[in-house]
Amino acid sequence: MKDTDIKRLLYTHLLCIFSIILSVFIPSLFLENFSILETHLTWLCICSGFVTAVNLVLYLAVKPNTSSKRSSLSHKVTRFLKCCIYFLMSCFSFHVIFVLYGAPLIELALETFLFAVILSTFTTVPCLCLLGPNLKAWLRVFSRNGVSSIWENSLQMTTISSFVGAWLGALPIPLDWERPWQMTVERKCSICRSLHVPCMGLGPVIR
């Protein structure tokens, strides 16, 4: 049984990776001038939709947490609406956290929110697919020694890895000084001269 779960888990992750690759190439067949760099906001929306759809289909097909109880249609609809609310709450919560960590409040708000959406797609959506809108199950899985299956262990690892990856992804940003969204070298050098501090073209060096 464990070997079967490992194979299913491997196929699930491979298909999720494949969906990300498809989100890069398929839109170019239908959208003109589509590219990740030039139309990155569009790509974020498409990638989020692809990954969410694949997660829903895979978890419905694999059903790692099968329940013996038969739920009514109204219960399923209520559960689906709760999942949608949880996802939106996750997006807005991440957006607020990004702003508190230094993202612009008004300027580039759409970019910040879409980043929150893509992070919620890789963290909240798998939790909702596997655990549902059950906060007690979430706390159990992400608490110490609370994992009870290989699926929950994978969920724990991928969620934490997504947060760490989002954090580490911000580290190279100060290195892109020559890009249009950063200060120019000439302006930084003028700031250094006005502050009377050493400068190597990388901004003020305070000793």
Side-chain angles (χ1 to χ4, degrees):
M1 184 66 180
K2 188 176 181 181
D3 294 336
T4 304
D5 288 336
I6 292 177
K7 290 181 180 179
R8 290 180 178 178
L9 190 60
L10 176 62
Y11 294 150
T12 300
H13 287 298
L14 289 177
L15 287 175
C16 287
I17 296 174
F18 185 65
S19 67
I20 298 175
I21 298 174
L22 288 179
S23 68
V24 176
F25 294 103
I26 289 182
S28 60
L29 301 176
F30 304 96
L31 300 176
E32 295 182 359
N33 301 324
F34 175 82
S35 66
I36 297 179
L37 297 178
E38 298 296 332
T39 57
H40 57 281
L41 299 182
T42 305
W43 178 77
L44 286 176
C45 297
I46 296 174
C47 181
S48 178
F50 270 64
V51 175
T52 302
V54 169
N55 273 284
L56 289 174
V57 172
L58 288 176
Y59 281 102
L60 287 175
V62 175
K63 294 181 180 179
N65 287 341
T66 56
S67 177
S68 58
K69 297 181 180 179
R70 291 186 177 181
S71 57
S72 61
L73 180 61
S74 61
H75 177 74
K76 292 180 180 179
V77 172
T78 304
R79 184 183 177 91
F80 176 75
L81 292 177
K82 283 184 178 180
C83 290
C84 294
I85 293 173
Y86 277 36
F87 179 75
L88 291 176
M89 290 175 60
S90 173
C91 294
F92 285 111
S93 298
F94 285 146
H95 183 85
V96 171
I97 292 173
F98 297 155
V99 171
L100 293 177
Y101 269 87
L105 178 60
I106 298 176
E107 186 182 2
L108 304 177
L110 181 59
E111 285 83 348
T112 305
F113 182 74
L114 289 179
F115 179 53
V117 170
I118 198 69
L119 185 59
S120 297
T121 302
F122 287 103
T123 56
T124 308
V125 169
C127 292
L128 291 172
C129 292
L130 184 63
L131 305 175
N134 187 353
L135 291 180
K136 292 183 179 179
W138 289 36
L139 294 175
R140 176 182 59 80
V141 170
F142 292 101
S143 62
R144 188 175 182 180
N145 300 326
V147 177
S148 60
S149 67
I150 189 173
W151 289 91
E152 293 179 354
N153 189 20
S154 173
L155 182 65
Q156 189 183 66
M157 294 175 61
T158 53
T159 302
I160 295 175
S161 299
S162 298
F163 286 126
V164 174
W167 178 271
L168 294 178
L171 292 180
I173 291 178
L175 303 178
D176 296 332
W177 290 117
E178 75 280 3
R179 301 297 180 181
W181 56 81
Q182 298 287 3
M183 297 171 57
T184 60
V185 176
E186 292 78 6
R187 184 181 176 187
K188 287 184 293 180
C189 292
S190 63
I191 294 176
C192 294
R193 288 192 294 269
S194 63
L195 295 175
H196 301 286
V197 295
C199 177
M200 298 179 62
L202 299 175
V205 180
I206 306 297
R207 293 180 179 177

